[in-house]
Amino acid sequence: SNTHSVVKHDVIAGTREVHNKLEKNRRAHLKDCFDTLKKNVPNVDEKKTSNLSVLRSALRYIQTLKRKEKEYEHEMERLARDKISTQQRLAELKNELSQCMDVMEIDKVLRQTVQPEDDQASTSTASGTHTHTHTHTHTHIAEDTRVSVRNTFDRHAYHISQTWSWGPQRVT
């Protein structure tokens, strides 16, 4: 019976020793975790801060990060809307510019087709110099067309200048 109590005492002592070792490991792990948390939470003194204070600081920091995340999400949504609006405005301006360029191309072609010296075109005949009235009439029609094209161009240019706004437009 004496041996039974010695064995029982050794078993209890062995169990207590295992328990103590496990508890020591658990505390060491917990300490490591708090040290890691202290390093990752701003404005926490790594040496003198209690674990409760570290947890409170970590909670405040997490709340701040969540608030900033929402702000950034809203900013990204606003920027996405601005991007779409800007792309639409760019497409409108490209279309207007394309129309103006078409008018300018017509004007250029007309200027190349009818040269100013055509007004003075003449041929020599046996009786002397004869001016072509056909060329003069053609030049007159081309000039009227050029004036009409110029007026159309000026209207487009005025429209563009009136609708263009300098700086980014805020879309809300």
Side-chain angles (χ1 to χ4, degrees):
S1 158
N2 223 0
T3 46
H4 182 48
S5 67
V6 171
V7 172
K8 189 175 183 182
H9 181 270
D10 288 344
V11 171
I12 291 172
T15 304
R16 187 174 299 130
E17 191 177 315
V18 169
H19 176 74
N20 289 345
K21 190 166 184 99
L22 288 172
E23 181 60 23
K24 183 179 178 183
N25 289 343
R26 188 188 70 80
R27 283 194 305 267
H29 177 68
L30 199 56
K31 182 184 180 308
D32 289 343
C33 290
F34 270 99
D35 289 343
T36 301
L37 190 58
K38 286 179 189 179
K39 289 176 187 171
N40 288 292
V41 176
N43 303 320
V44 173
D45 181 12
E46 286 188 39
K47 301 291 180 197
K48 302 178 180 180
T49 308
S50 71
N51 287 346
L52 181 59
S53 182
V54 170
L55 289 174
R56 285 182 176 146
S57 294
L59 179 62
R60 280 193 303 272
Y61 184 53
I62 290 167
Q63 289 168 339
T64 300
L65 290 175
K66 284 183 176 181
R67 188 172 56 251
K68 283 184 180 180
E69 180 183 34
K70 282 189 180 183
E71 289 171 8
Y72 292 144
E73 285 173 357
H74 290 300
E75 179 70 3
M76 286 174 55
E77 289 169 3
R78 185 190 64 78
L79 290 171
R81 286 192 306 270
D82 284 355
K83 179 183 176 187
I84 291 168
S85 172
T86 303
Q87 286 172 332
Q88 289 172 342
R89 184 68 184 128
L90 179 61
E92 291 170 6
L93 291 172
K94 281 181 178 179
N95 186 34
E96 289 176 19
L97 181 61
S98 172
Q99 291 172 4
C100 288
M101 293 304 288
D102 289 346
V103 169
M104 289 171 53
E105 281 299 313
I106 292 169
D107 191 42
K108 181 179 175 185
V109 167
L110 287 175
R111 275 189 269 116
Q112 288 172 350
T113 306
V114 181
Q115 298 298 325
E117 61 265 17
D118 285 350
D119 281 338
Q120 307 303 320
S122 61
T123 57
S124 295
T125 62
S127 62
T129 304
H130 179 265
T131 304
H132 289 282
T133 54
H134 173 72
T135 305
H136 180 71
T137 305
H138 177 69
T139 303
H140 220 332
I141 292 170
E143 187 58 35
D144 289 346
T145 305
R146 195 177 2 224
V147 168
S148 174
V149 167
R150 168 68 25 208
N151 289 341
T152 302
F153 174 78
D154 289 344
R155 280 197 311 278
H156 282 296
Y158 176 78
H159 175 70
I160 289 171
S161 71
Q162 295 302 305
T163 57
W164 178 261
S165 64
W166 298 101
Q169 293 182 350
R170 187 159 183 146
V171 177
T172 52

